[in-house]
């Protein structure tokens, strides 16, 4: 009872005090009202001085200004991207496809190819051109985190066990489509290369774009089909992992050449890149293992351990960017040198995956979609050129991988399965295409064609595997001896 009385007394004193101060404050002279909105600071993200709202029209205008505020735009963009990406991801999953396929489609739907065409005013309101830089930076951070996870998931022991076959299949699956891509670039250069871009960087980016395999998508397909523990699945993972490492190293060299303009002037960057990788593998990695040795014996990593991993991740990415190769390559190498301790990998993955996979990666797909203008393919025999790209992409990757696997001693069924898996491009392809687009090497037309190629080749992996399995089952049923009753 006493506490209630005390509470009422305190509340009464508070109300009386506020009322008295307000009463005194009302006697103070009022400054003239501002006629025009003036920013307090130059920073566009700082709130502005409010304009007195005298009527409904001014209130509505203030509401429109709030919508166009950079922070408001970013929040609605992220909200829309997550909702649409997850909706398409769930839909494509029910159709037997990977979530990444739905997220790529969602990005194209949100871009000028669909939403910009059907709802141009809404598209310009939500995704104005000057707001895309923020989305790009967020997507790059998400990719850096994701490539770090991919690097940690890279099991070097699997590659060592299957090294001979994996290196053969991987190298052929890169070399064959790369050469075909260079030949194709010869015919695509004049009609589709951007102005001021020489043939060499254009051809190199076309070649590497047709040669890459999406290691995380392939691993997820094998996991869903229960193939990770059988010999064929282990070989496919080893091939994809080797392909991934080779592809990223090759990409680093190509970026160095593209930025320098010629092979001779790029040698300095390439030498620095080699030194950087060697230091990461033979200097930083032993130090990291030594620092983590005691921590990882009996307990999961603490906050200081996780923070150190983030410092290595960001430092490696920054160093790679300074050298002249891409920050994503540095993130990947940082993941490779991390300890293979299961608790450590699980802890770091839990910290990064929720943010990078659920939020930042969909932003990357949406940002790619915002750059992709499918309508440009309608110009100057674009669909014919896209057809050539598709033929070269599938023939080079699927055909080259299957042929190499057959030479390595696999059956035709296993060889075709490996070929179908290696033909999966997905996220890795989009990363390379965005790098080429940012460097000004790929034109909007060729960028749209290559994004569409990445989507189709990723989409066809599941049906192609089902078809190969069906044909193999029929062949086995026909060759098996029919048992007769006694």
């Amino acid at each position: 009872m006493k506490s209630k009385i005390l509470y009422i007394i305190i509340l009464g004193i508070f109300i009386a005090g506020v009322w008295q101060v307000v009463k005194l404050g009302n006697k103070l002279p009022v400054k003239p009202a501002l006629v025009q909105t003036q920013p307090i600071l130059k920073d566009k993200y700082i709130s502005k001085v409010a304009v007195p709202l005298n009527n409904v029209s001014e209130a509505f205008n203030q509401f429109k200004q709030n919508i166009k505020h950079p922070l408001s735009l970013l929040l609605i963009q992220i909200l829309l991207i997550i909702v649409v990406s997850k909706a398409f991801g769930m839909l494509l999953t029910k159709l037997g496809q990977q979530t990444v396929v739905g997220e790529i489609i969602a990005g194209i739907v949100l871009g000028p190819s669909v939403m910009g065409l059907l709802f141009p005013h809404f598209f310009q309101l939500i995704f104005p051109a000057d707001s895309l830089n923020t989305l790009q930076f967020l997507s790059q951070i998400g990719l850096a985190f994701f490539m770090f996870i991919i690097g940690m998931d890279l099991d070097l022991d699997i590659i060592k066990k299957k090294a001979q076959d994996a290196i053969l299949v991987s190298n052929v699956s890169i070399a064959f489509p790369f050469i075909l891509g260079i030949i194709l670039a010869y015919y695509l250069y004049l009609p589709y290369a951007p102005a001021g871009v020489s043939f060499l960087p254009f051809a190199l980016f076309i070649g590497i774009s047709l040669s890459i395999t999406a290691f995380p998508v392939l691993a997820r397909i094998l996991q869903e089909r229960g193939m990770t523990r059988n010999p064929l699945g282990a070989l496919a993972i080893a091939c994809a992992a080797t392909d991934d490492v080779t592809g990223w190293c090759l990409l680093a060299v190509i970026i160095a050449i593209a930025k320098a303009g010629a092979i001779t002037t790029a040698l300095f960057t390439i030498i620095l890149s080699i030194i950087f990788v060697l230091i990461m593998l033979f200097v930083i990695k032993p130090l990291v293992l030594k620092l983590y040795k005691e921590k990882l014996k009996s307990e999961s990593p603490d906050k200081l351990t996780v923070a150190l991993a983030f410092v290595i991740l960001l430092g490696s990415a920054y160093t790679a960017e300074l050298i002249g190769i891409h920050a994503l390559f540095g993130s990947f190498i940082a993941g490779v040198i991390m300890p293979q301790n299961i608790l450590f990998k699980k802890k770091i993955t839990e910290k990064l995956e929720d943010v990078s996979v659920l939020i930042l990666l969909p932003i990357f797909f949406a940002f790619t979609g915002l750059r992709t203008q499918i309508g440009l393919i309608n110009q100057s025999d674009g669909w014919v050129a896209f057809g050539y790209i598709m033929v070269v992409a599938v023939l080079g990757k699927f055909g080259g991988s299957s042929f190499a696997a057959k030479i390595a001693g696999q059956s035709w069924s296993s060889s075709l399965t490996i070929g179908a898996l290696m033909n999966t491009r997905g996220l890795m392809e989009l990363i390379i295409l965005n790098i080429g687009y940012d460097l000004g090497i790929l034109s909007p037309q060729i960028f749209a064609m290559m994004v569409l190629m990445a989507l189709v080749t990723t989409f066809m992996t599941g049906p192609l595997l089902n078809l190969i399995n069906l044909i193999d089952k029929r062949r086995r049923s026909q060759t098996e001896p029919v048992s007769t009753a006694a």
Side-chain angles (χ1 to χ4, degrees), residues 158 162 222 225-237 414 417 421:
I158 293 180
K162 299 282 184 178
L222 292 174
R225 291 174 176 263
M227 297 173 61
T228 53
R229 297 186 179 277
N230 62 32
L232 179 59
L235 177 60
I237 289 177
S414 298
T417 299
L421 289 166

Side-chain angles (χ1 to χ4, degrees), residues 34 75 87 130 134 166-167 203 298 306 321 325 337 352 403 440 483:
L34 294 174
L75 293 175
D130 58 356
T134 306
I167 291 173
S298 58
V306 175
E321 191 72 21
I325 51 180
I337 69 168
L352 291 177
F403 179 71
S483 60

Side-chain angles (χ1 to χ4, degrees), residues 48-267:
K48 298 180 178 181
V49 177
V51 177
L53 303 179
N54 298 323
N55 51 51
V56 176
S57 177
E58 289 184 0
F60 182 71
N61 289 335
Q62 183 68 43
F63 179 72
K64 285 170 60 177
Q65 288 181 9
N66 291 339
I67 291 178
K68 294 180 180 180
H69 192 274
L71 181 58
S72 300
L73 273 178
L74 181 61
L75 293 175
I76 191 62
Q77 286 169 353
I78 294 175
L79 179 62
L80 187 62
I81 287 168
I82 293 175
V83 171
V84 175
S85 297
K86 294 311 164 190
F88 274 92
M90 291 172 61
L91 177 62
L92 268 293
T93 302
K94 290 183 178 179
L95 295 177
Q97 289 293 330
Q98 299 299 309
T99 306
V100 65
V101 177
E103 291 177 340
I104 295 173
I105 294 175
I108 294 175
V109 168
L110 288 172
S113 301
V114 179
M115 192 168 79
L117 185 65
L118 300 177
F119 310 101
H121 296 295
F122 181 74
F123 176 74
Q124 290 298 329
L125 177 66
I126 301 299
F127 295 105
D130 58 356
S131 71
L132 299 185
N133 286 338
T134 306
L135 282 180
Q136 183 180 17
F137 290 140
L138 283 176
S139 68
Q140 291 298 310
I141 292 172
L143 286 176
F145 289 165
F146 185 75
M147 291 310 302
F148 180 73
I149 295 172
I150 296 300
M152 285 199 303
D153 285 341
L154 188 67
D155 195 336
L156 296 177
D157 291 333
I158 293 180
I159 297 178
K160 290 177 183 177
K161 290 177 183 177
K162 299 282 184 178
Q164 187 173 351
D165 292 345
I167 291 173
L168 172 64
V169 175
S170 174
N171 288 349
V172 172
S173 74
I174 287 180
F176 192 45
F178 193 90
I179 293 171
L180 291 180
I182 296 290
I183 297 171
L184 178 64
Y186 179 81
Y187 296 96
L188 296 176
Y189 177 69
L190 287 178
Y192 297 110
V197 174
S198 61
F199 176 74
L200 179 62
F202 179 79
L204 291 176
F205 260 92
I206 295 295
I208 192 64
S209 298
L210 297 177
S211 306
I212 203 69
T213 293
F215 174 67
V217 178
L218 181 146
R220 195 177 299 177
I221 291 173
L222 292 174
Q223 186 179 26
E224 290 181 357
R225 291 174 176 263
M227 297 173 61
T228 53
R229 297 186 179 277
N230 62 32
L232 179 59
L235 177 60
I237 289 177
C239 291
T242 308
D243 189 290
D244 212 38
V245 175
T246 307
W248 276 101
C249 293
L250 190 59
L251 178 64
V253 175
I254 291 172
I255 292 172
I257 294 172
K259 285 186 175 181
I263 296 178
T264 52
T265 52
L267 284 176

Side-chain angles (χ1 to χ4, degrees), residues 19-34:
W19 179 80
Q20 187 63 33
V21 173
V22 171
K23 183 178 178 181
L24 294 172
N26 286 334
K27 296 178 181 179
L28 297 173
V30 179
K31 292 181 179 180
L34 294 174

Side-chain angles (χ1 to χ4, degrees), residues 153-469:
D153 285 341
L154 188 67
D155 195 336
L156 296 177
D157 291 333
I158 293 180
I159 297 178
K160 290 177 183 177
K161 290 177 183 177
K162 299 282 184 178
Q164 187 173 351
D165 292 345
I167 291 173
L168 172 64
V169 175
S170 174
N171 288 349
V172 172
S173 74
I174 287 180
F176 192 45
F178 193 90
I179 293 171
L180 291 180
I182 296 290
I183 297 171
L184 178 64
Y186 179 81
Y187 296 96
L188 296 176
Y189 177 69
L190 287 178
Y192 297 110
V197 174
S198 61
F199 176 74
L200 179 62
F202 179 79
L204 291 176
F205 260 92
I206 295 295
I208 192 64
S209 298
L210 297 177
S211 306
I212 203 69
T213 293
F215 174 67
V217 178
L218 181 146
R220 195 177 299 177
I221 291 173
L222 292 174
Q223 186 179 26
E224 290 181 357
R225 291 174 176 263
M227 297 173 61
T228 53
R229 297 186 179 277
N230 62 32
L232 179 59
L235 177 60
I237 289 177
C239 291
T242 308
D243 189 290
D244 212 38
V245 175
T246 307
W248 276 101
C249 293
L250 190 59
L251 178 64
V253 175
I254 291 172
I255 292 172
I257 294 172
K259 285 186 175 181
I263 296 178
T264 52
T265 52
L267 284 176
F268 180 69
T269 303
I270 294 171
I271 292 171
L272 283 180
S273 303
I274 294 171
I275 294 172
F276 165 65
V277 172
L278 292 176
I279 290 174
M280 290 294 290
L281 291 176
F282 298 106
V283 178
I284 304 299
K285 184 177 181 179
L287 287 176
V288 169
L289 294 177
K290 187 176 180 180
L291 288 171
Y292 286 161
K293 187 176 181 181
E294 296 299 324
K295 285 282 183 183
L296 301 180
K297 278 184 177 179
S298 58
E299 58 178 335
S300 62
D302 55 16
K303 290 182 179 180
L304 183 61
T305 306
V306 175
L308 180 59
F310 284 178
V311 168
I312 295 170
L313 158 62
L314 297 175
S316 179
Y318 179 67
T319 304
E321 191 72 21
L322 284 182
I323 289 172
I325 51 180
H326 206 275
L328 298 181
F329 181 76
S331 304
F332 177 76
I333 293 296
V336 171
I337 69 168
M338 287 293 112
Q340 293 297 308
N341 180 279
I342 296 175
L343 284 175
F344 176 84
K345 291 169 68 173
K346 183 180 178 182
K347 183 81 171 181
I348 300 294
T349 302
E350 285 175 353
K351 295 287 185 183
L352 291 177
E353 218 168 23
D354 289 344
V355 177
S356 64
V357 175
L358 295 180
I359 299 177
L360 299 180
L361 274 185
I363 291 176
F364 170 73
F365 292 127
F367 180 72
T368 304
L370 291 170
R371 288 176 154 186
T372 305
Q373 303 176 56
I374 304 296
L376 293 177
I377 305 179
N378 296 328
Q379 303 173 8
S380 63
D381 297 327
W383 287 107
V384 176
F386 171 71
Y388 290 148
I389 290 173
M390 280 299 306
V391 170
V392 171
V394 176
L395 178 64
K397 199 69 178 177
F398 176 72
S401 302
S402 301
F403 179 71
K406 182 61 181 174
I407 292 178
Q410 298 294 318
S411 65
W412 272 117
S413 175
S414 298
S415 300
L416 292 174
T417 299
I418 290 174
L421 289 166
M422 296 294 285
N423 192 47
T424 303
R425 286 173 175 85
L427 175 64
M428 300 304 176
E429 174 75 7
L430 297 185
I431 293 173
I432 291 175
L433 293 178
N434 276 277
I435 292 173
Y437 192 91
D438 288 334
L439 292 175
I441 295 169
L442 301 179
S443 65
Q445 264 185 301
I446 204 74
F447 180 79
M449 294 176 193
M450 300 299 278
V451 168
L452 199 57
M453 179 272 292
L455 180 60
V456 174
T457 52
T458 306
F459 188 89
M460 67 188 290
T461 302
L464 199 55
L465 288 174
N466 294 335
L467 179 62
I468 294 169
N469 289 335

